[in-house]
Amino acid sequence: MKRQSAGIHHITAFAGNPQANVDFYAGILGLRMIKRTVNFDAPEIYHLYFGNEAGSPGTAMTFFLSNDNQRGEVGAGQVGFTTFAVPAGSLPFWEQRFAKFGIPFERSERFGETYLRFRDWDGLQLELVERDDIPNSNWTFGGVPSEHAIKGFGGAVLFSLKPENTMVALEELLGFERIGEDREYVRFRSLGEYGNIVDVYTGAKDRGSGGAGTIHHIAWRTRDEEEQSDWRVAVEDYGFRPTPVIDRQYFRSIYFREAGGILYEIATDGPGFTIDEPLEGLGGELVLPPQYEQMRERIEAGLEPIQVRVLEQDR
């Protein structure tokens, strides 16, 4: 039987000022900050997670944050656009909201769908699309009511250095189904509810460079550690070079770079974000990986204080 990923698990980007990031994703987009922790590989910088009420797989947008991050360049070898899904009929609400906050936006069309494209304050390329086949979010914050709230990922647009190789691997390795073409885009679909649509841009793009406003990696879902072990063998057999399994506290991960230059992760659905905080308290306090707990005082002293707050335009 062909192995199939359920779609996007999470997407991780670089960003600059931590409070500005919280204000954009929680204050303006209305997402829940589900975890405030540090980069496991660089504990002097924040790693923040935003998503639905529980940070369900397929809803978590995460950031490595530092005021020292230089602006990157979006281009080939990266996720080009991160797509969030909203309820049907919600795009006019978001147009009004972006206008209120002075955020430029534009409408675009592909595969018969309308997308609202915009950037965050670091320049990260984002878009909203209306989707009925994704569960609604129960989380509301600030001026975003539940009937218009972001549900989770609708998908992503991949900018590849070798689009044909990227598309073949999506089908042959990750088990996505190729379902259509529209001008310079080819669409693939997986089995999951969230983040199940991936569009590959087939035109030419200059190579991107990492930094604030760019995606570090995109993670694909796997059910559990046993299935992840099978994925690791499959990735290696395909000719890529996966890392060993790495414990990321809230999931287990392997990483590899595909032929088009995009960094992929395969992450388990569990154990999830309530392993070290109750559901009602997610994101309320700085949570450190156990190996850094003895360094808490020094780590906290080096991190800029942040708060989730209702912005002035919504008061």
Side-chain angles (χ1 to χ4, degrees):
M1 182 176 177
K2 187 176 182 180
R3 185 178 290 102
Q4 296 176 293
S5 171
I8 297 171
H9 183 282
H10 67 270
I11 295 175
T12 296
F14 294 109
N17 182 265
Q19 185 61 55
N21 182 262
V22 174
D23 286 344
F24 193 91
Y25 286 89
I28 296 176
L29 296 188
L31 297 172
R32 185 180 191 185
M33 189 168 73
I34 52 175
K35 194 66 62 178
R36 63 176 81 190
T37 185
V38 294
N39 186 327
F40 282 23
D41 303 315
E44 68 278 4
I45 68 172
Y46 275 118
H47 191 180
L48 302 182
Y49 295 71
F50 301 87
N52 68 359
E53 182 177 5
S56 306
T59 75
M61 185 79 199
T62 98
F63 294 90
F64 299 140
L65 294 122
S66 172
N67 287 310
D68 294 331
N69 280 341
Q70 300 298 308
R71 182 68 67 91
E73 292 290 337
V74 179
Q78 299 175 350
V79 174
F81 281 89
T82 298
T83 309
F84 291 113
V86 296
S90 293
L91 289 189
F93 165 84
W94 285 101
E95 288 178 323
Q96 294 173 15
R97 185 159 181 80
F98 291 158
K100 179 169 73 171
F101 283 93
I103 298 170
F105 61 86
E106 63 180 14
R107 285 192 172 219
S108 66
E109 305 281 335
R110 68 179 187 274
F111 296 100
E113 295 180 306
T114 299
Y115 291 80
L116 198 63
R117 287 189 159 181
F118 60 104
R119 293 173 181 256
D120 73 5
W121 288 328
D122 286 300
L124 191 69
Q125 296 187 155
L126 308 167
E127 58 185 13
L128 300 178
V129 65
E130 296 175 354
R131 293 269 170 83
D132 278 337
D133 58 348
I134 299 175
N136 285 350
S137 174
N138 294 320
W139 184 256
T140 63
F141 184 76
V144 181
S146 57
E147 61 264 29
H148 298 306
I150 289 174
K151 301 178 177 194
F153 292 123
V157 179
L158 305 185
F159 290 171
S160 173
L161 291 164
K162 299 178 179 179
E164 191 59 41
N165 297 70
T166 294
M167 291 189 290
V168 170
L170 281 171
E171 287 188 283
E172 293 185 352
L173 177 59
L174 294 174
F176 280 73
E177 178 188 5
R178 182 170 177 153
I179 61 172
E181 297 183 24
D182 185 358
R183 294 164 297 167
E184 293 181 300
Y185 295 94
V186 179
R187 174 158 288 189
F188 297 82
R189 181 174 59 201
S190 69
L191 302 173
E193 292 181 310
Y194 300 100
N196 62 351
I197 296 293
V198 175
D199 292 339
V200 177
Y201 179 74
T202 60
K205 288 277 185 186
D206 291 336
R207 181 188 289 269
S209 61
T214 68
I215 299 297
H216 181 263
H217 66 266
I218 183 169
W220 309 109
R221 291 177 62 184
T222 187
R223 185 174 58 250
D224 53 31
E225 292 177 68
E226 181 179 357
E227 186 176 84
Q228 186 179 60
S229 296
D230 294 339
W231 276 111
R232 190 178 185 283
V233 172
V235 169
E236 199 164 38
D237 288 347
Y238 195 81
F240 297 141
R241 299 175 63 184
T243 66
V245 175
I246 301 173
D247 184 353
R248 294 304 192 194
Q249 189 84 354
Y250 312 110
F251 40 83
R252 309 292 183 263
S253 302
I254 61 171
Y255 300 84
F256 62 97
R257 198 169 295 277
E258 54 86 52
I262 305 166
L263 182 60
Y264 284 174
E265 175 182 351
I266 297 180
T268 58
D269 281 352
F273 295 105
T274 57
I275 190 172
D276 53 13
E277 289 182 296
L279 179 63
E280 61 273 15
L282 288 177
E285 303 291 339
L286 178 68
V287 178
L288 296 178
Q291 64 267 33
Y292 296 130
E293 192 58 52
Q294 73 274 15
M295 301 163 56
R296 175 174 287 274
E297 185 175 347
R298 178 165 64 85
I299 289 173
E300 287 184 335
L303 294 173
E304 174 185 327
I306 56 175
Q307 61 175 315
V308 177
R309 59 192 181 185
V310 176
L311 302 183
E312 182 178 350
Q313 293 90 331
D314 284 330
R315 293 174 190 157

